Amino acid sequence: MLFLLELLISLLIVLGGFFVLVGSIGLIKLGDLMPRLHAPTKATTLGLGGMLIGSMLFFLGVEGKLSIHEVLISLFLFITAPVSAHFMAKAWLHLNAKHRPKLPPTGSNRGWSTYDASHAPEPGWPTSDDPDRPAQ
Amino acid sequence: MAQQQNKRSFGWFPHPLLTVVLVLIWMLLLNAFTAGGLVMGLILGTVIPIITSNFWPERPRILAYHKALSFMLLVAYDVVVANIHVARLILFKPAGQLHTRWVTVPIDLKSSEAITLLAATITMTPGTVSSDLSADSRCLLVHCLDAPDPEQAVQQIKTRYEARIREIFE
């Protein structure tokens, strides 16, 4: 029984390592920053998840105590990964203003907030959650 | 919009749910149950909501908790699928054959919390990263890693995620 558990734990850790490796390969293989952004935001989520579940199983089954730090790690990961990806994308948009004409239109008379943030929002519309918008 | 017009309250517990979450996170951080730890958690859970109350003048009201739960499960499942999908793209598809493109996703959500949730969901799920919001908060700029058909990508985001988020908040 202990052997099976250890087998499962090692499988989870190897699987986790595999997906983190794929994320790193993606960073090398994809040429530009925007495609590169996809690799760390996704391939690593499952990689880290596998390792964390493996870690919880290890402490629960082998050491015999409940460890819930791992739940917190995944919670923080799910909160921080989209925010940091969004910040990197915005930084890229600022650095590559020449790409602005290539972006699809917004479909309204206002532009994308990275380039069109200096105006006050239309009355009646909610204030944006955009971190770049100056305080009103 | 009507449900956001809650009066701001400055009692001892301006945000009871945040207090509960903070105490829970503190206990998880300690990784062991002690009376001293619980007292410290309660102190933090009381002080932090009072100090930070200026940061959330409006509060979204979650209308359907069971729908929020099923949405979380759906996203968790999609995250696993997204990981395998992106891993396959990275390993087996030559970088030149990827159809990377920008798409505009028009959004009908009104509250900024709901839009934030949608943007975060888009980033965590198959081959898409939300990159910018239009200045009038009516559409999201999304970068797709591999989208041969941009129309379909937009439709999937709208029907699969946005419709469900709207049921939770509005």
Side-chain angles (χ1 to χ4, degrees), chain A residues 29 38 42-43 46 68-69 72 86 90 92 104-106 108 110-114 116 125-126 129 133, chain B residues 28-29 31 83 90 93 102 104 110 116 123 125 127-128 130-133 135-136 138-139 141 143 145:
Chain A
K29 188 180 163 185
H38 290 272
K42 287 180 208 74
L46 194 61
I68 32 189
H69 271 150
L72 269 190
H86 190 82
K90 281 186 88 73
W92 185 87
T106 56
S108 67
R110 303 293 306 275
W112 297 109
S113 58
T114 300
D116 191 16
W125 281 93
D129 56 326
R133 175 165 286 176
Chain B
L28 286 173
L29 268 175
N31 221 3
N83 275 273
I90 289 172
K93 208 158 179 178
W102 300 95
T104 305
K110 294 285 184 291
T116 310
T123 300
T125 47
T128 47
S130 57
S131 309
D132 206 357
L133 187 71
D136 55 8
R138 270 187 268 191
C139 45
L141 180 65
H143 188 266
L145 182 59

mmCIF file of all heavy atoms in Angstrom, chain A residues 29 38 42-43 46 68-69 72 86 90 92 104-106 108 110-114 116 125-126 129 133, chain B residues 28-29 31 83 90 93 102 104 110 116 123 125 127-128 130-133 135-136 138-139 141 143 145:
data_model
loop_
_atom_site.group_PDB
_atom_site.id
_atom_site.type_symbol
_atom_site.label_atom_id
_atom_site.label_comp_id
_atom_site.label_asym_id
_atom_site.label_seq_id
_atom_site.Cartn_x
_atom_site.Cartn_y
_atom_site.Cartn_z
ATOM 1 N N LYS A 29 11.123 28.476 -27.398
ATOM 2 C CA LYS A 29 10.702 28.193 -28.766
ATOM 3 C C LYS A 29 9.892 29.334 -29.385
ATOM 4 O O LYS A 29 10.126 29.695 -30.543
ATOM 5 C CB LYS A 29 9.863 26.905 -28.749
ATOM 6 C CG LYS A 29 9.532 26.400 -30.131
ATOM 7 C CD LYS A 29 8.704 25.131 -30.028
ATOM 8 C CE LYS A 29 8.032 24.874 -31.344
ATOM 9 N NZ LYS A 29 7.119 23.731 -31.266
ATOM 10 N N HIS A 38 2.058 32.936 -23.089
ATOM 11 C CA HIS A 38 1.130 31.815 -22.918
ATOM 12 C C HIS A 38 1.772 30.655 -22.174
ATOM 13 O O HIS A 38 1.096 29.952 -21.427
ATOM 14 C CB HIS A 38 0.651 31.311 -24.288
ATOM 15 C CG HIS A 38 -0.246 32.270 -24.976
ATOM 16 N ND1 HIS A 38 -1.593 32.273 -24.794
ATOM 17 C CD2 HIS A 38 0.009 33.265 -25.860
ATOM 18 C CE1 HIS A 38 -2.130 33.225 -25.526
ATOM 19 N NE2 HIS A 38 -1.179 33.846 -26.182
ATOM 20 N N LYS A 42 0.109 29.044 -18.470
ATOM 21 C CA LYS A 42 -0.686 27.816 -18.497
ATOM 22 C C LYS A 42 0.086 26.557 -18.179
ATOM 23 O O LYS A 42 -0.222 25.854 -17.232
ATOM 24 C CB LYS A 42 -1.379 27.681 -19.842
ATOM 25 C CG LYS A 42 -2.483 28.668 -19.887
ATOM 26 C CD LYS A 42 -3.228 28.647 -21.134
ATOM 27 C CE LYS A 42 -3.779 30.025 -21.361
ATOM 28 N NZ LYS A 42 -2.712 30.950 -21.788
ATOM 29 N N ALA A 43 1.106 26.268 -18.977
ATOM 30 C CA ALA A 43 1.768 24.983 -18.801
ATOM 31 C C ALA A 43 2.277 24.794 -17.377
ATOM 32 O O ALA A 43 2.380 23.677 -16.892
ATOM 33 C CB ALA A 43 2.912 24.846 -19.799
ATOM 34 N N LEU A 46 -0.571 23.478 -14.267
ATOM 35 C CA LEU A 46 -0.749 22.051 -14.022
ATOM 36 C C LEU A 46 0.526 21.456 -13.430
ATOM 37 O O LEU A 46 0.474 20.584 -12.563
ATOM 38 C CB LEU A 46 -1.119 21.346 -15.329
ATOM 39 C CG LEU A 46 -1.666 19.939 -15.188
ATOM 40 C CD1 LEU A 46 -2.934 19.949 -14.374
ATOM 41 C CD2 LEU A 46 -1.934 19.331 -16.547
ATOM 42 N N ILE A 68 -1.677 21.812 4.660
ATOM 43 C CA ILE A 68 -2.562 22.553 3.767
ATOM 44 C C ILE A 68 -1.923 23.817 3.218
ATOM 45 O O ILE A 68 -2.562 24.613 2.579
ATOM 46 C CB ILE A 68 -3.895 22.907 4.470
ATOM 47 C CG1 ILE A 68 -3.654 23.120 5.938
ATOM 48 C CG2 ILE A 68 -4.921 21.845 4.200
ATOM 49 C CD1 ILE A 68 -4.874 23.260 6.757
ATOM 50 N N HIS A 69 -0.625 23.966 3.432
ATOM 51 C CA HIS A 69 0.085 25.075 2.792
ATOM 52 C C HIS A 69 -0.129 25.077 1.293
ATOM 53 O O HIS A 69 -0.228 26.118 0.669
ATOM 54 C CB HIS A 69 1.601 24.937 3.046
ATOM 55 C CG HIS A 69 2.044 25.599 4.293
ATOM 56 N ND1 HIS A 69 3.108 25.155 5.026
ATOM 57 C CD2 HIS A 69 1.566 26.667 4.940
ATOM 58 C CE1 HIS A 69 3.269 25.937 6.068
ATOM 59 N NE2 HIS A 69 2.329 26.858 6.042
ATOM 60 N N LEU A 72 -2.933 26.996 -0.196
ATOM 61 C CA LEU A 72 -2.649 28.432 -0.239
ATOM 62 C C LEU A 72 -1.781 28.790 -1.434
ATOM 63 O O LEU A 72 -2.015 29.789 -2.104
ATOM 64 C CB LEU A 72 -1.929 28.854 1.038
ATOM 65 C CG LEU A 72 -2.787 29.324 2.191
ATOM 66 C CD1 LEU A 72 -1.888 29.916 3.246
ATOM 67 C CD2 LEU A 72 -3.791 30.343 1.725
ATOM 68 N N HIS A 86 -1.226 40.124 -17.233
ATOM 69 C CA HIS A 86 -1.860 41.345 -17.723
ATOM 70 C C HIS A 86 -0.872 42.516 -17.686
ATOM 71 O O HIS A 86 -0.788 43.296 -18.633
ATOM 72 C CB HIS A 86 -3.079 41.646 -16.851
ATOM 73 C CG HIS A 86 -3.954 42.734 -17.374
ATOM 74 N ND1 HIS A 86 -4.897 42.512 -18.341
ATOM 75 C CD2 HIS A 86 -4.015 44.044 -17.075
ATOM 76 C CE1 HIS A 86 -5.516 43.652 -18.615
ATOM 77 N NE2 HIS A 86 -5.005 44.602 -17.854
ATOM 78 N N LYS A 90 0.527 44.668 -20.851
ATOM 79 C CA LYS A 90 0.396 46.121 -20.927
ATOM 80 C C LYS A 90 1.761 46.785 -21.119
ATOM 81 O O LYS A 90 1.890 47.739 -21.880
ATOM 82 C CB LYS A 90 -0.280 46.654 -19.656
ATOM 83 C CG LYS A 90 -1.762 46.463 -19.667
ATOM 84 C CD LYS A 90 -2.406 47.119 -18.482
ATOM 85 C CE LYS A 90 -2.755 48.551 -18.760
ATOM 86 N NZ LYS A 90 -3.895 48.702 -19.666
ATOM 87 N N TRP A 92 4.220 45.470 -22.626
ATOM 88 C CA TRP A 92 4.572 45.221 -24.027
ATOM 89 C C TRP A 92 3.871 46.215 -24.940
ATOM 90 O O TRP A 92 4.464 46.748 -25.887
ATOM 91 C CB TRP A 92 4.188 43.781 -24.402
ATOM 92 C CG TRP A 92 4.623 43.389 -25.778
ATOM 93 C CD1 TRP A 92 5.824 42.869 -26.136
ATOM 94 C CD2 TRP A 92 3.850 43.491 -26.983
ATOM 95 N NE1 TRP A 92 5.856 42.645 -27.481
ATOM 96 C CE2 TRP A 92 4.657 43.018 -28.025
ATOM 97 C CE3 TRP A 92 2.565 43.942 -27.269
ATOM 98 C CZ2 TRP A 92 4.223 42.970 -29.340
ATOM 99 C CZ3 TRP A 92 2.127 43.902 -28.584
ATOM 100 C CH2 TRP A 92 2.950 43.415 -29.600
ATOM 101 N N PRO A 104 -6.878 44.987 -33.155
ATOM 102 C CA PRO A 104 -8.242 45.073 -33.674
ATOM 103 C C PRO A 104 -8.957 46.278 -33.062
ATOM 104 O O PRO A 104 -8.618 46.712 -31.968
ATOM 105 C CB PRO A 104 -8.869 43.762 -33.200
ATOM 106 C CG PRO A 104 -8.057 43.337 -32.040
ATOM 107 C CD PRO A 104 -6.672 43.812 -32.299
ATOM 108 N N PRO A 105 -9.938 46.842 -33.780
ATOM 109 C CA PRO A 105 -10.660 47.992 -33.241
ATOM 110 C C PRO A 105 -11.502 47.603 -32.035
ATOM 111 O O PRO A 105 -11.861 46.440 -31.858
ATOM 112 C CB PRO A 105 -11.545 48.432 -34.408
ATOM 113 C CG PRO A 105 -11.693 47.208 -35.240
ATOM 114 C CD PRO A 105 -10.422 46.431 -35.091
ATOM 115 N N THR A 106 -11.801 48.580 -31.188
ATOM 116 C CA THR A 106 -12.589 48.285 -29.991
ATOM 117 C C THR A 106 -14.072 48.201 -30.305
ATOM 118 O O THR A 106 -14.847 47.696 -29.510
ATOM 119 C CB THR A 106 -12.398 49.383 -28.936
ATOM 120 O OG1 THR A 106 -12.751 50.636 -29.527
ATOM 121 C CG2 THR A 106 -10.971 49.441 -28.454
ATOM 122 N N SER A 108 -16.002 50.760 -30.502
ATOM 123 C CA SER A 108 -16.692 51.944 -29.988
ATOM 124 C C SER A 108 -15.799 53.135 -30.280
ATOM 125 O O SER A 108 -14.738 52.996 -30.900
ATOM 126 C CB SER A 108 -16.960 51.809 -28.489
ATOM 127 O OG SER A 108 -15.739 51.814 -27.783
ATOM 128 N N ARG A 110 -14.065 54.813 -28.214
ATOM 129 C CA ARG A 110 -12.912 54.891 -27.317
ATOM 130 C C ARG A 110 -11.890 53.828 -27.694
ATOM 131 O O ARG A 110 -12.254 52.747 -28.150
ATOM 132 C CB ARG A 110 -13.334 54.686 -25.858
ATOM 133 C CG ARG A 110 -14.394 55.654 -25.371
ATOM 134 C CD ARG A 110 -13.849 57.073 -25.300
ATOM 135 N NE ARG A 110 -12.641 57.160 -24.517
ATOM 136 C CZ ARG A 110 -12.627 57.294 -23.197
ATOM 137 N NH1 ARG A 110 -13.742 57.340 -22.514
ATOM 138 N NH2 ARG A 110 -11.487 57.390 -22.558
ATOM 139 N N GLY A 111 -10.606 54.142 -27.466
ATOM 140 C CA GLY A 111 -9.565 53.192 -27.825
ATOM 141 C C GLY A 111 -9.267 52.221 -26.702
ATOM 142 O O GLY A 111 -10.002 52.157 -25.711
ATOM 143 N N TRP A 112 -8.174 51.452 -26.856
ATOM 144 C CA TRP A 112 -7.725 50.566 -25.783
ATOM 145 C C TRP A 112 -7.153 51.408 -24.658
ATOM 146 O O TRP A 112 -6.479 52.408 -24.901
ATOM 147 C CB TRP A 112 -6.698 49.577 -26.304
ATOM 148 C CG TRP A 112 -7.277 48.680 -27.332
ATOM 149 C CD1 TRP A 112 -7.026 48.683 -28.668
ATOM 150 C CD2 TRP A 112 -8.245 47.649 -27.105
ATOM 151 N NE1 TRP A 112 -7.778 47.728 -29.288
ATOM 152 C CE2 TRP A 112 -8.533 47.071 -28.355
ATOM 153 C CE3 TRP A 112 -8.910 47.161 -25.980
ATOM 154 C CZ2 TRP A 112 -9.452 46.044 -28.512
ATOM 155 C CZ3 TRP A 112 -9.816 46.136 -26.131
ATOM 156 C CH2 TRP A 112 -10.077 45.580 -27.380
ATOM 157 N N SER A 113 -7.389 51.003 -23.427
ATOM 158 C CA SER A 113 -7.089 51.896 -22.310
ATOM 159 C C SER A 113 -5.596 52.165 -22.160
ATOM 160 O O SER A 113 -5.204 53.183 -21.597
ATOM 161 C CB SER A 113 -7.659 51.329 -21.018
ATOM 162 O OG SER A 113 -7.132 50.055 -20.778
ATOM 163 N N THR A 114 -4.738 51.264 -22.665
ATOM 164 C CA THR A 114 -3.305 51.522 -22.579
ATOM 165 C C THR A 114 -2.934 52.800 -23.325
ATOM 166 O O THR A 114 -2.061 53.555 -22.905
ATOM 167 C CB THR A 114 -2.526 50.335 -23.167
ATOM 168 O OG1 THR A 114 -2.852 49.180 -22.433
ATOM 169 C CG2 THR A 114 -1.038 50.569 -23.087
ATOM 170 N N ASP A 116 -5.430 55.054 -24.434
ATOM 171 C CA ASP A 116 -6.523 56.024 -24.374
ATOM 172 C C ASP A 116 -6.974 56.216 -22.934
ATOM 173 O O ASP A 116 -8.155 56.230 -22.637
ATOM 174 C CB ASP A 116 -7.691 55.526 -25.248
ATOM 175 C CG ASP A 116 -8.746 56.611 -25.440
ATOM 176 O OD1 ASP A 116 -8.444 57.775 -25.167
ATOM 177 O OD2 ASP A 116 -9.864 56.272 -25.846
ATOM 178 N N TRP A 125 -20.936 55.063 -16.962
ATOM 179 C CA TRP A 125 -20.252 53.781 -17.107
ATOM 180 C C TRP A 125 -19.405 53.520 -15.881
ATOM 181 O O TRP A 125 -18.902 54.450 -15.267
ATOM 182 C CB TRP A 125 -19.397 53.757 -18.364
ATOM 183 C CG TRP A 125 -20.234 53.509 -19.548
ATOM 184 C CD1 TRP A 125 -20.812 54.444 -20.365
ATOM 185 C CD2 TRP A 125 -20.672 52.251 -20.026
ATOM 186 N NE1 TRP A 125 -21.569 53.840 -21.311
ATOM 187 C CE2 TRP A 125 -21.499 52.505 -21.135
ATOM 188 C CE3 TRP A 125 -20.454 50.928 -19.627
ATOM 189 C CZ2 TRP A 125 -22.101 51.473 -21.851
ATOM 190 C CZ3 TRP A 125 -21.051 49.910 -20.336
ATOM 191 C CH2 TRP A 125 -21.863 50.187 -21.438
ATOM 192 N N PRO A 126 -19.236 52.249 -15.504
ATOM 193 C CA PRO A 126 -18.447 51.952 -14.313
ATOM 194 C C PRO A 126 -17.000 52.341 -14.526
ATOM 195 O O PRO A 126 -16.512 52.304 -15.652
ATOM 196 C CB PRO A 126 -18.582 50.437 -14.145
ATOM 197 C CG PRO A 126 -18.925 49.941 -15.503
ATOM 198 C CD PRO A 126 -19.712 51.029 -16.167
ATOM 199 N N ASP A 129 -11.303 48.792 -13.978
ATOM 200 C CA ASP A 129 -10.394 48.204 -12.995
ATOM 201 C C ASP A 129 -8.963 48.284 -13.484
ATOM 202 O O ASP A 129 -8.078 47.634 -12.958
ATOM 203 C CB ASP A 129 -10.760 46.750 -12.742
ATOM 204 C CG ASP A 129 -10.766 45.949 -14.020
ATOM 205 O OD1 ASP A 129 -11.122 46.509 -15.075
ATOM 206 O OD2 ASP A 129 -10.424 44.770 -13.999
ATOM 207 N N ARG A 133 -5.179 53.508 -15.168
ATOM 208 C CA ARG A 133 -6.019 54.696 -15.204
ATOM 209 C C ARG A 133 -5.714 55.585 -13.992
ATOM 210 O O ARG A 133 -5.678 55.103 -12.871
ATOM 211 C CB ARG A 133 -7.481 54.273 -15.191
ATOM 212 C CG ARG A 133 -8.417 55.452 -15.095
ATOM 213 C CD ARG A 133 -9.797 55.054 -15.438
ATOM 214 N NE ARG A 133 -9.911 54.864 -16.881
ATOM 215 C CZ ARG A 133 -11.022 54.437 -17.456
ATOM 216 N NH1 ARG A 133 -12.055 54.135 -16.734
ATOM 217 N NH2 ARG A 133 -11.081 54.288 -18.757
ATOM 218 N N LEU B 28 -4.477 28.672 7.662
ATOM 219 C CA LEU B 28 -3.811 27.815 6.672
ATOM 220 C C LEU B 28 -2.320 28.102 6.637
ATOM 221 O O LEU B 28 -1.496 27.193 6.514
ATOM 222 C CB LEU B 28 -4.410 28.044 5.287
ATOM 223 C CG LEU B 28 -5.796 27.464 5.018
ATOM 224 C CD1 LEU B 28 -6.296 27.924 3.659
ATOM 225 C CD2 LEU B 28 -5.790 25.957 5.076
ATOM 226 N N LEU B 29 -1.966 29.383 6.760
ATOM 227 C CA LEU B 29 -0.551 29.752 6.743
ATOM 228 C C LEU B 29 0.188 29.136 7.924
ATOM 229 O O LEU B 29 1.320 28.678 7.796
ATOM 230 C CB LEU B 29 -0.407 31.276 6.806
ATOM 231 C CG LEU B 29 -0.330 32.044 5.496
ATOM 232 C CD1 LEU B 29 -0.312 33.530 5.771
ATOM 233 C CD2 LEU B 29 0.903 31.661 4.715
ATOM 234 N N ASN B 31 -0.566 26.421 9.379
ATOM 235 C CA ASN B 31 -0.510 24.972 9.123
ATOM 236 C C ASN B 31 -0.677 24.148 10.397
ATOM 237 O O ASN B 31 -0.323 22.987 10.444
ATOM 238 C CB ASN B 31 0.794 24.585 8.418
ATOM 239 C CG ASN B 31 0.544 23.564 7.330
ATOM 240 O OD1 ASN B 31 -0.608 23.197 7.073
ATOM 241 N ND2 ASN B 31 1.595 23.084 6.711
ATOM 242 N N ASN B 83 -3.808 23.295 -20.145
ATOM 243 C CA ASN B 83 -2.409 22.924 -19.953
ATOM 244 C C ASN B 83 -1.967 21.892 -20.969
ATOM 245 O O ASN B 83 -0.926 22.029 -21.598
ATOM 246 C CB ASN B 83 -2.229 22.362 -18.552
ATOM 247 C CG ASN B 83 -1.998 23.444 -17.540
ATOM 248 O OD1 ASN B 83 -0.889 23.852 -17.326
ATOM 249 N ND2 ASN B 83 -3.057 23.939 -16.942
ATOM 250 N N ILE B 90 3.122 23.585 -27.913
ATOM 251 C CA ILE B 90 4.529 23.963 -27.744
ATOM 252 C C ILE B 90 5.449 22.852 -28.251
ATOM 253 O O ILE B 90 6.436 23.101 -28.942
ATOM 254 C CB ILE B 90 4.818 24.279 -26.259
ATOM 255 C CG1 ILE B 90 4.155 25.592 -25.865
ATOM 256 C CG2 ILE B 90 6.311 24.358 -26.002
ATOM 257 C CD1 ILE B 90 4.218 25.884 -24.394
ATOM 258 N N LYS B 93 3.927 21.608 -32.497
ATOM 259 C CA LYS B 93 3.616 22.466 -33.625
ATOM 260 C C LYS B 93 4.764 23.433 -33.864
ATOM 261 O O LYS B 93 5.196 24.125 -32.947
ATOM 262 C CB LYS B 93 2.320 23.236 -33.357
ATOM 263 C CG LYS B 93 1.580 23.591 -34.631
ATOM 264 C CD LYS B 93 0.115 23.840 -34.363
ATOM 265 C CE LYS B 93 -0.569 24.213 -35.676
ATOM 266 N NZ LYS B 93 -1.993 24.426 -35.521
ATOM 267 N N TRP B 102 -4.630 38.811 -32.352
ATOM 268 C CA TRP B 102 -5.403 39.556 -31.372
ATOM 269 C C TRP B 102 -6.876 39.435 -31.735
ATOM 270 O O TRP B 102 -7.221 39.472 -32.910
ATOM 271 C CB TRP B 102 -5.036 41.032 -31.393
ATOM 272 C CG TRP B 102 -3.607 41.344 -31.092
ATOM 273 C CD1 TRP B 102 -2.612 41.537 -32.004
ATOM 274 C CD2 TRP B 102 -3.012 41.511 -29.813
ATOM 275 N NE1 TRP B 102 -1.436 41.811 -31.351
ATOM 276 C CE2 TRP B 102 -1.655 41.806 -30.007
ATOM 277 C CE3 TRP B 102 -3.503 41.445 -28.506
ATOM 278 C CZ2 TRP B 102 -0.780 42.041 -28.972
ATOM 279 C CZ3 TRP B 102 -2.638 41.675 -27.471
ATOM 280 C CH2 TRP B 102 -1.283 41.964 -27.698
ATOM 281 N N THR B 104 -10.876 41.003 -30.429
ATOM 282 C CA THR B 104 -11.644 41.882 -29.557
ATOM 283 C C THR B 104 -12.846 41.113 -29.037
ATOM 284 O O THR B 104 -13.608 40.565 -29.826
ATOM 285 C CB THR B 104 -12.139 43.113 -30.328
ATOM 286 O OG1 THR B 104 -11.026 43.748 -30.927
ATOM 287 C CG2 THR B 104 -12.857 44.073 -29.411
ATOM 288 N N LYS B 110 -21.127 44.563 -16.375
ATOM 289 C CA LYS B 110 -21.071 45.963 -15.958
ATOM 290 C C LYS B 110 -20.091 46.194 -14.808
ATOM 291 O O LYS B 110 -19.312 47.134 -14.840
ATOM 292 C CB LYS B 110 -22.462 46.428 -15.524
ATOM 293 C CG LYS B 110 -23.464 46.467 -16.661
ATOM 294 C CD LYS B 110 -23.228 47.663 -17.575
ATOM 295 C CE LYS B 110 -24.299 47.755 -18.642
ATOM 296 N NZ LYS B 110 -24.190 46.639 -19.620
ATOM 297 N N THR B 116 -13.062 41.791 -14.076
ATOM 298 C CA THR B 116 -11.771 41.270 -13.610
ATOM 299 C C THR B 116 -11.783 39.750 -13.590
ATOM 300 O O THR B 116 -10.829 39.096 -14.024
ATOM 301 C CB THR B 116 -11.470 41.786 -12.188
ATOM 302 O OG1 THR B 116 -11.654 43.185 -12.173
ATOM 303 C CG2 THR B 116 -10.065 41.450 -11.778
ATOM 304 N N THR B 123 -7.285 34.468 -19.092
ATOM 305 C CA THR B 123 -5.843 34.231 -19.035
ATOM 306 C C THR B 123 -5.520 32.800 -18.623
ATOM 307 O O THR B 123 -4.575 32.204 -19.124
ATOM 308 C CB THR B 123 -5.188 35.213 -18.053
ATOM 309 O OG1 THR B 123 -5.439 36.536 -18.525
ATOM 310 C CG2 THR B 123 -3.693 35.007 -17.979
ATOM 311 N N THR B 125 -7.235 30.048 -19.145
ATOM 312 C CA THR B 125 -7.821 28.972 -19.967
ATOM 313 C C THR B 125 -7.275 28.953 -21.391
ATOM 314 O O THR B 125 -6.526 29.841 -21.769
ATOM 315 C CB THR B 125 -9.352 29.101 -19.974
ATOM 316 O OG1 THR B 125 -9.679 30.447 -20.238
ATOM 317 C CG2 THR B 125 -9.949 28.682 -18.659
ATOM 318 N N GLY B 127 -5.124 28.741 -24.388
ATOM 319 C CA GLY B 127 -4.450 29.531 -25.408
ATOM 320 C C GLY B 127 -4.834 30.984 -25.522
ATOM 321 O O GLY B 127 -4.687 31.575 -26.589
ATOM 322 N N THR B 128 -5.353 31.603 -24.468
ATOM 323 C CA THR B 128 -5.737 33.002 -24.554
ATOM 324 C C THR B 128 -5.182 33.772 -23.360
ATOM 325 O O THR B 128 -5.142 33.260 -22.254
ATOM 326 C CB THR B 128 -7.264 33.167 -24.553
ATOM 327 O OG1 THR B 128 -7.815 32.360 -23.516
ATOM 328 C CG2 THR B 128 -7.877 32.750 -25.869
ATOM 329 N N SER B 130 -5.726 37.692 -21.683
ATOM 330 C CA SER B 130 -6.370 38.998 -21.794
ATOM 331 C C SER B 130 -5.317 40.056 -21.568
ATOM 332 O O SER B 130 -4.566 40.011 -20.597
ATOM 333 C CB SER B 130 -7.512 39.126 -20.788
ATOM 334 O OG SER B 130 -7.035 38.918 -19.488
ATOM 335 N N SER B 131 -5.225 41.011 -22.492
ATOM 336 C CA SER B 131 -4.102 41.943 -22.477
ATOM 337 C C SER B 131 -4.495 43.375 -22.175
ATOM 338 O O SER B 131 -3.703 44.120 -21.625
ATOM 339 C CB SER B 131 -3.389 41.929 -23.834
ATOM 340 O OG SER B 131 -3.099 40.613 -24.203
ATOM 341 N N ASP B 132 -5.693 43.764 -22.547
ATOM 342 C CA ASP B 132 -6.065 45.155 -22.303
ATOM 343 C C ASP B 132 -7.579 45.267 -22.283
ATOM 344 O O ASP B 132 -8.293 44.401 -22.778
ATOM 345 C CB ASP B 132 -5.482 46.055 -23.402
ATOM 346 C CG ASP B 132 -5.288 47.470 -22.893
ATOM 347 O OD1 ASP B 132 -5.658 47.736 -21.747
ATOM 348 O OD2 ASP B 132 -4.754 48.297 -23.653
ATOM 349 N N LEU B 133 -8.015 46.369 -21.688
ATOM 350 C CA LEU B 133 -9.442 46.663 -21.617
ATOM 351 C C LEU B 133 -9.642 47.960 -22.393
ATOM 352 O O LEU B 133 -8.787 48.827 -22.386
ATOM 353 C CB LEU B 133 -9.820 46.856 -20.152
ATOM 354 C CG LEU B 133 -11.264 47.012 -19.755
ATOM 355 C CD1 LEU B 133 -11.978 45.686 -19.911
ATOM 356 C CD2 LEU B 133 -11.354 47.480 -18.317
ATOM 357 N N ALA B 135 -11.067 51.663 -23.153
ATOM 358 C CA ALA B 135 -11.174 52.758 -22.191
ATOM 359 C C ALA B 135 -12.589 52.910 -21.654
ATOM 360 O O ALA B 135 -12.790 53.473 -20.584
ATOM 361 C CB ALA B 135 -10.707 54.061 -22.838
ATOM 362 N N ASP B 136 -13.588 52.408 -22.382
ATOM 363 C CA ASP B 136 -14.952 52.508 -21.876
ATOM 364 C C ASP B 136 -15.428 51.182 -21.262
ATOM 365 O O ASP B 136 -16.625 50.995 -21.046
ATOM 366 C CB ASP B 136 -15.902 52.959 -22.986
ATOM 367 C CG ASP B 136 -15.821 52.060 -24.198
ATOM 368 O OD1 ASP B 136 -15.156 51.017 -24.113
ATOM 369 O OD2 ASP B 136 -16.427 52.391 -25.228
ATOM 370 N N ARG B 138 -15.908 48.299 -22.387
ATOM 371 C CA ARG B 138 -16.917 47.538 -23.100
ATOM 372 C C ARG B 138 -16.339 46.413 -23.941
ATOM 373 O O ARG B 138 -17.089 45.645 -24.530
ATOM 374 C CB ARG B 138 -17.767 48.463 -23.965
ATOM 375 C CG ARG B 138 -18.956 48.967 -23.171
ATOM 376 C CD ARG B 138 -19.894 49.741 -24.034
ATOM 377 N NE ARG B 138 -19.574 51.161 -23.998
ATOM 378 C CZ ARG B 138 -20.377 52.098 -24.511
ATOM 379 N NH1 ARG B 138 -21.503 51.759 -25.081
ATOM 380 N NH2 ARG B 138 -20.042 53.358 -24.433
ATOM 381 N N CYS B 139 -15.019 46.306 -24.034
ATOM 382 C CA CYS B 139 -14.463 45.129 -24.689
ATOM 383 C C CYS B 139 -13.051 44.852 -24.189
ATOM 384 O O CYS B 139 -12.368 45.733 -23.660
ATOM 385 C CB CYS B 139 -14.489 45.265 -26.200
ATOM 386 S SG CYS B 139 -13.947 46.842 -26.800
ATOM 387 N N LEU B 141 -9.206 43.169 -24.960
ATOM 388 C CA LEU B 141 -8.250 42.772 -25.989
ATOM 389 C C LEU B 141 -7.627 41.445 -25.550
ATOM 390 O O LEU B 141 -7.049 41.354 -24.480
ATOM 391 C CB LEU B 141 -7.171 43.848 -26.140
ATOM 392 C CG LEU B 141 -6.092 43.598 -27.180
ATOM 393 C CD1 LEU B 141 -6.677 43.582 -28.570
ATOM 394 C CD2 LEU B 141 -5.023 44.667 -27.093
ATOM 395 N N HIS B 143 -5.224 38.069 -26.527
ATOM 396 C CA HIS B 143 -4.224 37.509 -27.436
ATOM 397 C C HIS B 143 -4.381 35.995 -27.482
ATOM 398 O O HIS B 143 -4.410 35.340 -26.442
ATOM 399 C CB HIS B 143 -2.817 37.864 -26.950
ATOM 400 C CG HIS B 143 -1.753 37.486 -27.923
ATOM 401 N ND1 HIS B 143 -1.090 36.291 -27.833
ATOM 402 C CD2 HIS B 143 -1.271 38.117 -29.014
ATOM 403 C CE1 HIS B 143 -0.221 36.220 -28.840
ATOM 404 N NE2 HIS B 143 -0.312 37.312 -29.556
ATOM 405 N N LEU B 145 -3.054 32.274 -28.745
ATOM 406 C CA LEU B 145 -1.837 31.576 -29.173
ATOM 407 C C LEU B 145 -2.074 30.858 -30.497
ATOM 408 O O LEU B 145 -1.246 30.876 -31.386
ATOM 409 C CB LEU B 145 -1.404 30.574 -28.104
ATOM 410 C CG LEU B 145 -0.126 29.802 -28.385
ATOM 411 C CD1 LEU B 145 1.047 30.737 -28.561
ATOM 412 C CD2 LEU B 145 0.165 28.824 -27.264
#
